Amino acid sequence: MMDHPLRVLGVSGSMRQKSKTALALRMFLDFVVQQGHGAEARMLDLRSTELPLYSPDREAPSEAQKTITAEVEWADAFVLATPDYHGSMSGAMKNFLDYHWEELAGKTFGYICSSHEKGLTVMDQMRTVVRQCYGWSLPYGVSFDGRADFDAAGALQNQRVEQRLKMMARDLVVYGTLIR
């Protein structure tokens, strides 16, 4: 066992100011902490960073890259949250994953997708990237429809989505701890 509780980093790939993706991710991270297993959680909002477009020829890392890399290295497990953009993850999420492929090996991942459809291709694409980085994925993710499942004030109205977020929070903590 490690000398610290499981550390979960939630990564929000939404660029929308009042993002339902970020709201669902914050709820999820609260559930992670509430599990009673002593897990810690942090959120990385890619909207508030200025991570340059990934270039393998860049010689010196940007300050944003250094800050984000420190967060990634802190984490034992991740939950990646993105809106469905034309059946794929956001460009910000893909850019984040391009930067940190080495640090993702051996880590456990969960997925959240805001989609008016089911978000299945989006989560499959994130799983594919994580698998190529030698990460471990939970066999399911949570998708929701931001327009239908949240009210105008940003409160989650769909109890089934809340239950799935709680279930995935529990599973990420349990399996993330075992895999770590």
Side-chain angles (χ1 to χ4, degrees), residues 1-2 6 106 108 136 171-180:
M1 285 299 283
M2 301 286 281
L6 186 75
T108 308
W136 296 85
D171 289 350
L172 187 66
V173 171
V174 169
Y175 293 107
T177 300
L178 290 171
I179 289 170
R180 178 185 64 177

Side-chain angles (χ1 to χ4, degrees), residues 6-174:
L6 186 75
R7 297 172 176 168
V8 177
L9 182 64
V11 182
S12 174
S14 177
M15 297 293 107
R16 193 177 297 269
Q17 186 169 4
K18 293 184 178 184
S19 167
K20 302 298 191 294
T21 302
L23 284 175
L25 179 58
R26 282 188 192 96
M27 287 182 66
F28 175 86
L29 294 172
D30 287 343
F31 296 147
V32 162
V33 172
Q34 295 168 10
Q35 291 298 315
H37 299 289
E40 298 176 22
R42 293 182 186 172
M43 182 167 161
L44 172 60
D45 189 346
L46 296 176
R47 183 180 163 279
S48 65
T49 65
E50 294 196 21
L51 188 60
L53 188 61
Y54 177 74
S55 172
D57 295 329
R58 182 173 287 115
E59 293 192 25
S62 69
E63 287 305 312
Q65 183 183 351
K66 290 178 191 176
T67 300
I68 291 171
T69 298
E71 291 291 304
V72 169
E73 289 173 344
W74 170 85
D76 301 309
F78 295 83
V79 61
L80 304 179
T82 184
D84 178 338
Y85 288 152
H86 313 292
S88 186
M89 70 188 94
S90 71
M93 181 63 72
K94 179 64 170 84
N95 192 48
F96 165 80
L97 291 168
D98 287 344
Y99 268 99
H100 297 99
W101 57 274
E102 286 182 297
E103 297 92 345
L104 304 182
K107 307 291 176 86
T108 308
F109 287 80
Y111 306 94
I112 297 172
C113 182
S114 174
S115 178
H116 65 279
E117 295 180 348
K118 294 180 182 174
L120 297 176
T121 59
V122 178
M123 289 187 277
D124 282 345
Q125 289 172 3
M126 290 189 291
R127 276 188 198 91
T128 298
V129 172
V130 166
R131 183 176 56 243
Q132 289 298 113
C133 298
Y134 304 105
W136 296 85
S137 291
L138 292 179
Y140 67 94
V142 177
S143 68
F144 64 92
D145 183 342
R147 296 172 295 186
D149 294 331
F150 284 85
D151 66 17
L156 182 60
Q157 299 299 300
N158 186 328
Q159 295 304 308
R160 290 178 55 151
V161 171
E162 181 177 345
Q163 289 305 316
R164 298 233 352 134
L165 288 170
K166 287 179 179 177
M167 181 176 77
M168 192 170 73
R170 179 200 64 221
D171 289 350
L172 187 66
V173 171
V174 169

